[in-house]
Amino acid sequence: MFEALFQRKKVNNEKLKSYGFSQKNNSYFYITDILDGQFELQICISCEGTVDTGVFDKNTGDEYVLYKTGATGTFVGEIRESCETVLKEVANCCYDVDIFKYNQTKRLIDYVRSKYRDELEFLWETSPSNAVWRRKDTMKWYGAVLTISKSKLGLMSDEIVEVVDLHAKTERVEELLQKDGYYPGWHMNKKYWYTIILDDSISDEELFRRIDESYDMAKRGK
């Protein structure tokens, strides 16, 4: 019943261990007290990320199962709320965002994480498939990963694709737009931003150079 907390997320087994989960066979287990120590919440997460929970009365050892049913009432509501609070923290601390599906998108995310230690920020609740990278020192954006229709780029197709918007000086943008695989920045100032579809039409080596250039452009004073 808490599936929504783990949507668009992928379990990170190393993060589970750091959080305090113990591994047994192909699953990870965590136990914590809830409701001022009256009950014990047991969490089991498979290696694939499937979550199961159990709530037990610490005095009797009996399992309390009503929170998994359609039962209503103040007490069962408090149990559910306590479970949700713990599970929400587990989802945030032990799972990675898994919204984007393109292999090149994932490789770009891994590259930025490895080189700059930056994670995508999902700023818009109404656009959960759009996110940005920003420098820690200046807080300026240097990239945006978006899910849009090809028609937004002036292409004769409604196919949904994953793209990255990157920053450059005006003359550099004009130069890049003469090359195949580069498009005017979508939803950005087209003088300073351009867009690449992350479908391997441009090599990783070239893409990573572009993200490095965009990161440099986000320095203070640029």
Side-chain angles (χ1 to χ4, degrees), residues 27-214:
S27 297
Y28 293 83
F29 297 88
Y30 182 77
I31 298 174
T32 187
D33 289 345
I34 59 173
L35 256 62
D36 298 322
Q38 299 177 58
F39 289 84
E40 181 179 270
L41 171 62
Q42 299 182 9
I43 304 171
C44 173
I45 301 180
S46 71
C47 290
E48 293 75 31
T50 303
V51 180
D52 190 22
T53 61
V55 172
F56 297 85
D57 187 310
K58 292 189 67 176
N59 290 323
T60 67
D62 294 335
E63 184 174 8
Y64 183 85
V65 298
L66 289 181
Y67 77 102
K68 292 184 176 181
T69 71
T72 60
T74 301
F75 185 71
V76 69
E78 289 177 351
I79 292 285
R80 287 197 192 101
E81 185 177 348
S82 296
C83 292
E84 183 174 355
T85 297
V86 175
L87 291 170
K88 187 178 293 185
E89 182 174 286
V90 169
N92 291 334
C93 295
C94 303
Y95 282 67
D96 297 326
V97 173
D98 190 33
I99 289 176
F100 303 108
K101 304 304 179 185
Y102 281 14
N103 288 330
Q104 190 169 45
T105 307
K106 294 178 180 180
R107 294 194 300 270
L108 179 60
I109 291 170
D110 287 342
Y111 176 79
V112 171
R113 179 181 292 132
S114 175
K115 184 164 185 177
Y116 299 114
R117 300 293 189 267
D118 287 335
E119 298 290 342
L120 283 167
E121 298 180 46
F122 293 83
L123 304 178
W124 305 283
E125 289 187 9
T126 56
S127 300
S129 297
N130 295 339
V132 302
W133 283 299
R134 69 172 101 204
R135 287 184 64 124
K136 297 182 183 69
D137 51 357
T138 65
M139 300 305 291
K140 290 183 179 181
W141 296 4
Y142 62 90
V145 180
L146 314 165
T147 302
I148 63 173
S149 166
K150 279 187 174 181
S151 62
K152 300 290 187 181
L153 301 176
L155 301 173
M156 299 297 291
S157 172
D158 291 325
E159 179 187 355
I160 301 300
V161 292
E162 295 171 10
V163 305
V164 62
D165 279 355
L166 298 174
H167 193 200
K169 292 182 178 179
T170 303
E171 57 272 21
R172 181 61 165 158
V173 172
E174 292 174 351
E175 174 189 338
L176 291 172
L177 292 180
Q178 302 305 310
K179 302 177 61 174
D180 291 339
Y182 290 85
Y183 304 89
W186 183 76
H187 216 56
M188 296 287 198
N189 187 324
K190 291 176 173 53
K191 288 180 61 177
Y192 305 108
W193 291 83
Y194 60 92
T195 296
I196 296 171
I197 300 177
L198 297 169
D199 60 357
D200 292 289
S201 55
I202 290 177
S203 70
D204 283 359
E205 182 181 14
E206 184 172 349
L207 176 64
F208 296 163
R209 287 202 303 270
R210 300 293 170 254
I211 195 77
D212 292 341
E213 292 170 358
S214 190

